């Protein structure tokens, strides 16, 4: 749906030149929820603003829904933008218009007829759960409700792509969850391609199918959310992941383990269906090892179960070898934290 | 003094003499103010809009247009009204065919108020956040749609307040327009009250002006509050 090739953006000002994006290559397939995560100043906003030409790239090409955005201007660009919805951190609603008026706004711009607009607004209000707020003004709404208006407005012209620039950064954690839930629902219901930029790994974890990590103007890592969560390459990715999935064992547990230097300790990563399989039972029954569960966590990456289990294994060298072979066969990622000899 | 005043207000002939001059002057003031304010906005709104949209990072950035327009506005705003009034006489004669009278007074009033209006419009429109304009751009809005559907509707309240301010300013200036035979309440106050020592007429005209100014400000404030949804 979106192909970004060799994209660069350099800002020239009197103070000097700033390279905000350097040789970016990305491919977003249809129906994906593509998350782009990075620290402040990494170039995230610049990247997403290049997608609808709010920012003109210095170099490179962007093909979006079959259209080469970089070559468009004037009327053609305006028409292409009607095919791309965008929501913002600070909502950017029109204060002089009601909720319905705000949702109607992009349709007026696209010159739909009055009847078509009324009908479309009536469809969108329930989609974002704002039927009872149709004639309220933005000033009378909470942050979460404002973002729902922003989402309805962005979807009004039935765009092929939805761009979200820090869409939940101004919201409290609970509201963030509900807005992310709405975006996920829309993605599934409408098969809408979504690009989300954020500095919160939580957002990636909740709804994204793919993720790219951007640091100092460059993409340093990209892939499916599962693969990046399980095999993060860069230290930044690892840090982002540990912010949502505490990777370290609790201090108390570490102190206790220090008293038993000969215990064999492994950490098993689960993903998807394997998480629900009776791994521990099998280890005990089939391999004849004794299993002591030290620590565990289970979470979801979008809808995929994802977890870790830290175990102490006791048994003869043979049965331990059997256990490792078993885990290997199940395609589980196993980290040996301590080799008890 | 007290008894003199009492006998004066009880004399019907006194009221007759007032009825001959005050309503006429009031009509002239209303005519000059309404027409001048209207024309000042007809000229000032496009100028203000251009100042804003041609500024850096706006929808049609053009430093040359912005600077030229800004300079012209500043020049006209720095000329004292009384001088403008005299300097514009040839132009006024060309436009309305006469150099004196109420209609003739409208020309310098408009020329003096329009640049002021342009600055008021500019400062109102600049209140629209960059984010909102960007949102409209992201939906494919044209510059004209941004002006007509975003900038002006979003700033209805400050624009209404600005109209109240401009109208009140123009009322004050109409007094000076008496110098070109414009007539009006201000002129009446000067002609009778100052030149002929008719303090009573001076007081009456000032009272009427106070009521008008209060009324305009009240209407402006009330409307602006009604239209604001912040
Ligand atoms: N219009 C501009 N002119 C000059 N420099 C800019 C402009 N916009 C962004 N930059 C610079 O480009 C770099 C990337 O900015 P960008 O806004 O894309 O970062 P970001 O990842 O979105 O950060 P944040 O999380 O703080 O929003 C920064 O160094 C910023 O100062
Ligand atoms: Mg940003």
């Amino acid at each position: 749906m979106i192909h970004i090739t060799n994209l660069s953006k350099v800002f020239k000002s009197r103070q000097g030149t700033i390279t905000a994006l350097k040789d970016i290559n990305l491919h977003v397939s249809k129906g994906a929820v593509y998350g782009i995560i990075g620290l402040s100043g990494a170039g995230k906003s610049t990247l997403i603003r290049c997608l609808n030409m709010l920012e003109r790239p210095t170099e490179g090409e962007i093909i979006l829904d079959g259209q080469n955005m970089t070559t468009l201007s004037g009327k053609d660009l305006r028409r292409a933008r009607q095919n791309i919805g965008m929501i913002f951190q600070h909502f950017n609603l029109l204060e002089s218009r009601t909720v319905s008026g705000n949702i109607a706004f992009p349709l007026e711009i696209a010159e739909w007829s009055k009847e078509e607009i009324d009908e479309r607004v009536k469809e969108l209000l329930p989609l974002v759960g704002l039927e009872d707020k149709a004639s309220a003004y933005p000033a009378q709404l909470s942050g979460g409700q404002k973002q729902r208006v922003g989402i309805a407005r962005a979807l009004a012209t039935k765009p092929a792509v939805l761009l979200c620039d820090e869409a939940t950064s101004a919201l409290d954690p609970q509201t963030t969850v509900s807005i992310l839930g709405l975006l996920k629902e829309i993605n599934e219901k409408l098969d809408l391609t979504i690009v989300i930029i954020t500095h919160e790994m939580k957002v990636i974890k909740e709804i994204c199918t793919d993720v790219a990590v951007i640091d100092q103007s460059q993409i340093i890592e990209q892939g499916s959310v599962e693969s990046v969560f399980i095999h993060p390459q860069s230290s930044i990715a690892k840090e982002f992941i540990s912010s949502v999935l505490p990777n370290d064992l609790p201090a108390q547990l570490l102190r206790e383990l220090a008293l038993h230097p000969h215990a064999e300790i492994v950490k098993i990563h689960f993903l998807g269906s394997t998480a629900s399989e009776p791994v521990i039972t099998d280890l005990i029954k089939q391999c004849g090892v004794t299993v002591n569960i030290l620590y565990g966590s289970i979470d979801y990456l979008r809808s995929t179960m994802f977890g870790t289990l830290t175990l102490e294994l006791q048994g003869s060298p043979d049965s331990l070898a059997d256990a490792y072979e078993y885990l290997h066969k199940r395609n589980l990622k196993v980290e040996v934290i301590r080799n008890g000899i | 003094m007290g008894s003199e005043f009492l006998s004066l207000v009880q004399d019907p002939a006194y009221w007759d003499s007032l009825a001959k001059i005050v309503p006429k002057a009031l009509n002239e003031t209303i005519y000059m103010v309404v027409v001048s304010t209207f024309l000042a906005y007809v000229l000032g709104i496009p100028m203000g809009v251009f100042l804003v949209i041609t500024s850096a990072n706006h929808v049609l950035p053009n430093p040359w247009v912005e600077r030229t327009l800004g300079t012209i506005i500043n020049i006209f705003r720095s000329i004292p009204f009384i001088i403008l009034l005299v300097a514009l006489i040839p132009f006024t004669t060309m436009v309305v065919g006469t150099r004196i009278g109420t209609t003739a007074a409208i020309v310098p009033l408009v020329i003096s108020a329009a640049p002021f209006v342009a600055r008021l419009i500019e400062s109102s429109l600049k209140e629209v956040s960059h984010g909102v304009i960007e949102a409209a751009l992201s939906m494919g809005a044209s510059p004209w749609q941004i002006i007509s559907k975003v900038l002006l509707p979003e700033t209805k309240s400050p624009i209404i307040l600005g109209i109240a301010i401009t109208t009140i300013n123009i009322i004050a200036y109409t007094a000076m327009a008496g110098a070109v035979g414009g007539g009006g309440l201000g002129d009446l106050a000067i002609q009778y009250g100052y030149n002929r020592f008719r303090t009573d007429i001076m007081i009456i005209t000032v009272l009427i002006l106070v009521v008008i100014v209060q009324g305009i400000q009240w209407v402006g404030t009330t409307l602006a509050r009604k239209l604001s949804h912040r």
Side-chain angles (χ1 to χ4, degrees):
Chain A
M1 180 58 78
I2 308 174
H3 291 269
I4 304 175
T5 331
N6 302 329
L7 178 73
S8 294
K9 174 73 193 181
V10 179
F11 288 108
K12 286 199 176 71
S13 68
R14 254 165 279 166
Q15 289 89 334
T17 59
I18 298 166
T19 305
L21 296 174
K22 209 186 298 175
D23 203 23
I24 304 282
N25 288 284
L26 272 186
H27 167 72
V28 179
S29 42
K30 182 163 164 48
V33 181
Y34 206 109
I36 297 167
I37 188 166
L39 299 170
S40 187
K44 307 181 293 291
S45 296
T46 310
L47 175 54
I48 203 160
R49 290 158 49 82
C50 279
L51 296 182
N52 57 3
M53 295 290 120
L54 284 177
E55 211 72 81
R56 283 259 162 208
T58 313
E59 247 178 80
E61 194 179 65
I62 294 166
I63 311 280
L64 194 150
D65 199 15
Q67 233 169 352
N68 189 344
M69 298 297 294
T70 35
T71 59
L72 297 178
S73 64
K75 214 179 165 119
D76 296 332
L77 175 58
R78 293 202 286 273
R79 169 124 335 130
R81 279 173 173 167
Q82 289 166 13
N83 192 31
I84 310 171
M86 191 169 195
I87 59 175
F88 306 85
Q89 178 174 5
H90 299 296
F91 324 122
N92 296 341
L93 302 179
L94 295 166
E95 287 177 353
S96 63
R97 286 179 177 237
T98 60
V99 168
S100 294
N102 269 284
I103 300 174
F105 180 62
L107 301 171
E108 288 174 24
I109 285 175
E111 291 171 339
W112 286 33
S113 76
K114 178 105 186 43
E115 295 74 43
E116 287 172 318
I117 292 177
D118 287 347
E119 197 177 314
R120 184 71 181 133
V121 170
K122 273 203 205 97
E123 280 168 24
L124 286 159
L125 285 168
L127 181 72
V128 296
L130 287 175
E131 298 100 314
D132 54 335
K133 295 281 178 197
S135 46
Y137 285 91
Q140 302 162 319
L141 302 178
S142 70
Q145 289 168 334
K146 283 184 198 170
Q147 197 57 291
R148 284 170 184 271
V149 179
I151 292 170
R153 181 177 76 168
L155 297 178
T157 52
K158 305 185 178 171
V161 174
L162 177 66
L163 308 178
C164 313
D165 187 349
E166 302 274 8
T168 57
S169 298
L171 304 174
D172 63 58
Q174 221 173 333
T175 313
T176 296
V177 169
S178 86
I179 292 293
L180 292 178
L182 175 61
L183 288 174
K184 187 173 154 193
E185 188 189 315
I186 287 164
N187 163 252
E188 284 163 359
K189 216 190 260 177
L190 311 177
D191 197 27
L192 179 72
T193 309
I194 301 181
V195 179
I196 291 186
I197 68 162
T198 181
H199 61 271
E200 294 173 307
M201 202 58 179
K202 188 182 162 190
V203 171
I204 307 283
K205 192 183 77 135
E206 291 286 332
I207 57 166
C208 291
T209 55
D210 301 85
V211 61
V213 182
I214 182 168
D215 185 42
Q216 293 176 12
S217 321
Q218 281 176 302
I219 302 268
I220 52 167
E221 189 161 350
Q222 58 180 302
S224 73
V225 169
E226 282 109 27
S227 69
V228 172
F229 262 74
I230 293 176
H231 303 289
Q233 305 297 315
S234 59
S235 59
I236 292 190
K238 285 176 191 160
E239 208 165 296
F240 273 128
I241 291 167
S242 69
S243 71
V244 284
L245 299 176
N247 217 13
D248 303 324
L249 296 176
Q252 175 66 24
L253 185 58
L254 288 173
R255 276 196 292 278
E256 280 171 22
L257 288 177
L259 303 174
H260 306 282
H262 298 299
E264 174 104 2
I265 298 170
V266 296
K267 183 163 159 191
I268 303 170
H269 295 258
F270 296 94
L271 183 68
S273 59
T274 53
S276 44
E277 285 170 14
V279 172
I280 294 178
T281 317
D282 284 353
L283 279 176
I284 298 170
K285 281 196 182 152
Q286 295 180 13
C287 314
V289 291
T290 309
V291 177
N292 190 8
I293 300 174
L294 298 176
Y295 185 71
S297 71
I298 287 227
D299 212 326
Y300 284 86
L301 293 178
R302 199 174 148 103
S303 316
T304 310
M305 206 188 272
F306 174 80
T308 65
L309 205 49
T310 306
L311 307 173
E312 181 187 352
L313 301 180
Q314 291 167 346
S316 64
D318 277 355
S319 52
L320 282 177
D322 277 356
Y324 283 121
E325 202 189 317
Y326 166 80
L327 293 171
H328 192 71
K329 265 196 210 137
R330 308 287 312 241
N331 259 329
L332 294 164
K333 183 187 168 197
V334 180
E335 251 179 277
V336 179
I337 292 185
R338 183 162 355 111
N339 225 323
I341 308 158
Chain B
M1 163 82 195
S3 61
E4 237 176 81
F5 181 71
L6 262 184
S7 63
L8 190 64
V9 295
Q10 282 166 353
D11 179 2
Y14 171 70
W15 293 108
D16 277 352
S17 73
L18 283 191
K20 278 198 194 98
I21 48 174
V22 176
K24 178 170 172 284
L26 180 61
N27 278 340
E28 285 164 349
T29 295
I30 292 173
Y31 169 67
M32 279 189 286
V33 170
V34 170
V35 176
S36 306
T37 308
F38 177 75
L39 292 178
Y41 270 84
V42 168
L43 290 178
I45 289 179
M47 284 198 281
V49 166
F50 264 96
L51 275 177
V52 170
I53 62 171
T54 57
S55 63
N57 294 321
H58 219 283
V59 291
L60 288 174
N62 188 330
W64 189 86
V65 171
E66 189 201 10
R67 231 172 299 135
T68 312
L69 193 55
T71 309
I72 294 172
I73 287 169
N74 288 347
I75 291 172
F76 274 93
R77 288 199 63 202
S78 49
I79 303 174
F81 180 64
I82 200 80
I83 294 175
L84 200 65
L85 201 59
V86 177
L88 281 176
I89 286 175
F91 177 72
T92 305
T93 316
M94 203 176 82
V95 176
V96 295
T98 169
R99 43 178 290 190
I100 51 164
T102 316
T103 305
I106 287 173
V107 176
L109 284 171
V110 170
I111 301 289
S112 140
F116 175 73
V117 170
R119 288 295 183 199
L120 280 181
I121 294 286
E122 180 194 22
S123 71
S124 301
L125 300 192
K126 287 219 156 147
E127 275 181 33
V128 178
S129 80
H130 194 62
V132 170
I133 294 165
E134 198 140 79
L137 282 176
S138 80
M139 294 167 201
S142 65
W144 170 245
Q145 285 174 322
I146 291 197
I147 295 166
S148 63
K149 287 185 177 292
V150 181
L151 295 178
L152 294 172
E154 282 289 284
T155 52
K156 272 181 290 201
S157 289
I159 289 177
I160 295 281
L161 284 177
I163 292 177
I165 294 171
T166 309
T167 312
I168 291 167
N169 272 356
I170 289 181
I171 289 175
Y173 281 26
T174 55
M176 281 189 263
V180 291
L185 288 170
D187 189 42
L188 187 69
I190 294 170
Q191 294 300 325
Y192 282 77
Y194 185 74
N195 295 346
R196 298 186 206 168
F197 305 105
R198 285 287 301 270
T199 317
D200 57 320
I201 290 187
M202 174 116 91
I203 290 171
I204 286 169
T205 50
V206 169
L207 279 180
I208 294 173
L209 287 171
V210 168
V211 170
I212 292 176
V213 168
Q214 289 282 4
I216 289 169
Q217 192 60 58
W218 181 82
V219 170
T221 312
T222 311
L223 258 179
R225 199 183 315 125
K226 272 232 173 84
L227 290 173
S228 164
H229 296 289
R230 292 202 173 174

